[in-house]
Amino acid sequence: MVNVRKLWLVALLGASGAALAQSAPATYAAADFSRVDKVDSHVHLYGELPVFLARAQADGFRLLTINVNYRDFPPPDVQLRDAIALRRAWPTRVAFAATFDAAGSESPGWLARTQQRLDAALAAGAVAVKVWKDIGMQQRDADGHVVMIDDPRFAPIFAALAKRGVVVLGHQGEPRNAWLALDAMTINGDREYFSEHPQYHMAKHPEWPSYEQQLAARDHMLDANPRLRFVGVHLASLEWDVDRVAAFLDHYPNASVDLAARVPHLQLQAVKAREKVRAFFIKYQDRILYGTDISRGREQSDAQLADEAHAAWLVDWDFLAGDSLMHSTEFAGGFRGLALPRTVIDKIYGANARRLLPGAWAQTAVSPRSGAPAKNP
């Protein structure tokens, strides 16, 4: 005998579920920005930063601060010390990635010392290891040969990291603009950076490997380490063409990319090919991490960094989550926001980073979208 009451209840619940599904917006609104629990997986922090970290908490961001062997920053040992301190002070907000110095890598004892330093950093809480563009663009051995990322001297390090499941963050090469004259570059930010850092303006330095040689060395290293969990930061230095980024991700199933400092390149492509850029995000939604490359300048105050970060985070949110007409100071021409689905935004802004770096950020009891302030940092 048919249970009429049960059928009626099932029909009612089904109708209610359909109504809820229809009422839930497909995309986030600007007002959702601070309510969504997010991760900026590419920042560079040092010193005490109570104002900046309070701003990050208010904006709903957890952070991965990345140590790097860069002359504009404090020495790597100082960065590591400060990263450990920030992690201890803000365990729900800050995680960190270690790095190593490739200088003298041909010397006896370098490998053992470097592995010991990495082991110590990982034991102190590092969740990833960064390899930077100094390998390939600055380092030469005692014989004057350029040291590239696929050099056999680094093979034991990558093999050990792969065996331990440690994520490697790779910055090989530069934006393709670095190999162009300033007036031929596609965005103003690159013109400014390479004007101020001529040592990395590779159009002026033919004595270093070409753009394609830099990427080929990176790919050769990945071919030799198929188990390595790898993030090609800065869109794997393929920022100028989402098809090239897609081909990289297709070829290396253990690789992901982050967006750090390359969103303007995507916006530029969206001027003429918005749907293509949007389709890229949707297809590779599990392989893309949000990041900014926000870095504290030498003379920058804590409050200034907080204001800069807040402004950058809002602009990126408008582009990725919104659909309004936008303009950028980086180039001429308007473009619309991508209006990515909520599910895609949730992955890019957090779920992918948490999956790659499990346990990186201690969790709070606050619901990710409750909008309520965290009870602890």
Side-chain angles (χ1 to χ4, degrees):
M1 182 175 180
V2 176
N3 188 327
V4 177
R5 185 175 182 275
K6 184 177 180 181
L7 288 177
W8 174 83
L9 181 60
V10 170
L12 178 62
L13 291 173
S16 299
L20 286 172
Q22 290 177 357
S23 64
T27 58
Y28 284 117
D32 294 317
F33 168 74
S34 62
R35 301 190 184 109
V36 176
D37 190 11
K38 303 179 292 296
V39 174
D40 186 335
S41 60
H42 194 136
V43 298
H44 301 285
L45 308 177
Y46 53 88
E48 296 182 359
L49 297 166
V51 178
F52 167 76
L53 285 161
R55 179 77 263 175
Q57 180 174 327
D59 285 351
F61 271 103
R62 305 178 196 274
L63 307 158
L64 177 65
T65 182
I66 301 173
N67 294 171
V68 64
N69 187 26
Y70 185 30
R71 297 173 189 171
D72 285 13
F73 298 163
D77 286 347
V78 175
Q79 293 179 55
L80 178 61
R81 178 202 67 193
D82 288 0
I84 293 171
L86 287 170
R87 167 69 176 176
R88 289 174 177 167
W90 299 80
T92 68
R93 293 288 140 190
V94 178
F96 69 94
T99 193
F100 61 87
D101 188 350
S105 55
E106 75 279 11
S107 303
W110 176 89
L111 178 61
R113 290 192 302 272
T114 299
Q115 288 180 318
Q116 288 173 357
R117 285 174 174 266
L118 288 177
D119 287 343
L122 291 167
V127 296
V129 172
K130 174 72 174 284
V131 288
W132 197 55
K133 66 186 181 185
D134 60 328
I135 302 174
M137 298 180 69
Q138 286 180 217
Q139 301 290 350
R140 293 182 182 272
D141 62 22
D143 295 326
H145 298 124
V146 177
V147 178
M148 301 293 281
I149 196 66
D150 60 344
D151 194 291
R153 73 192 71 187
F154 302 127
I157 292 176
F158 294 127
L161 294 173
K163 184 176 181 179
R164 295 179 63 171
V166 175
V167 172
V168 170
L169 311 174
H171 178 173
Q172 281 67 60
E174 281 283 66
R176 192 177 65 159
N177 278 340
W179 280 265
L180 303 177
L182 289 175
D183 60 3
M185 293 182 184
T186 55
I187 67 168
N188 293 329
D190 284 348
R191 294 186 188 94
E192 179 181 347
Y193 179 81
F194 293 115
S195 293
E196 295 174 354
H197 298 82
Q199 68 272 34
Y200 302 125
H201 187 185
M202 305 312 289
K204 296 182 176 180
H205 298 285
E207 69 274 16
W208 293 95
S210 69
Y211 172 75
E212 293 294 346
Q213 288 173 320
Q214 299 281 350
L215 301 189
R218 186 262 324 272
D219 293 351
H220 187 217
M221 182 275 290
L222 292 177
D223 290 336
N225 295 276
R227 295 174 52 202
L228 189 67
R229 300 167 72 221
F230 184 81
V231 178
V233 299
H234 308 300
L235 284 172
S237 293
L238 297 164
E239 70 296 321
W240 56 281
D241 185 356
V242 292
D243 286 340
R244 286 287 300 267
V245 185
F248 170 78
L249 292 173
D250 288 343
H251 192 74
Y252 297 105
N254 278 342
S256 300
V257 294
D258 81 17
L259 303 178
R262 301 298 183 262
V263 170
H265 293 271
L266 298 171
Q267 293 171 334
L268 178 61
Q269 292 173 69
V271 172
K272 295 183 178 179
R274 174 184 181 270
E275 293 308 313
K276 180 179 179 180
V277 175
R278 188 173 188 273
F280 163 78
F281 275 95
I282 292 173
K283 181 175 181 180
Y284 297 98
Q285 60 187 271
D286 298 310
R287 314 277 296 281
I288 302 170
L289 283 67
Y290 177 73
T292 57
D293 205 21
I294 288 168
S295 309
R296 186 179 191 180
R298 288 187 180 274
E299 306 300 326
Q300 190 175 36
S301 72
D302 183 11
Q304 289 172 330
L305 179 64
D307 290 344
E308 176 187 320
H310 179 65
W313 287 332
L314 285 175
V315 170
D316 289 349
W317 179 264
D318 287 345
F319 175 59
L320 296 171
D323 66 351
S324 61
L325 179 64
M326 303 178 69
H327 292 83
S328 173
T329 58
E330 297 286 357
F331 54 84
F335 53 93
R336 280 178 54 216
L338 300 180
L340 295 173
R342 285 180 175 229
T343 52
V344 176
I345 289 291
D346 288 344
K347 290 178 180 180
I348 292 170
Y349 269 98
N352 293 340
R354 292 188 187 90
R355 186 186 70 254
L356 278 172
L357 308 169
W361 301 275
Q363 296 300 303
T364 67
V366 177
S367 173
R369 298 186 186 89
S370 68
K375 295 180 181 179
N376 59 68

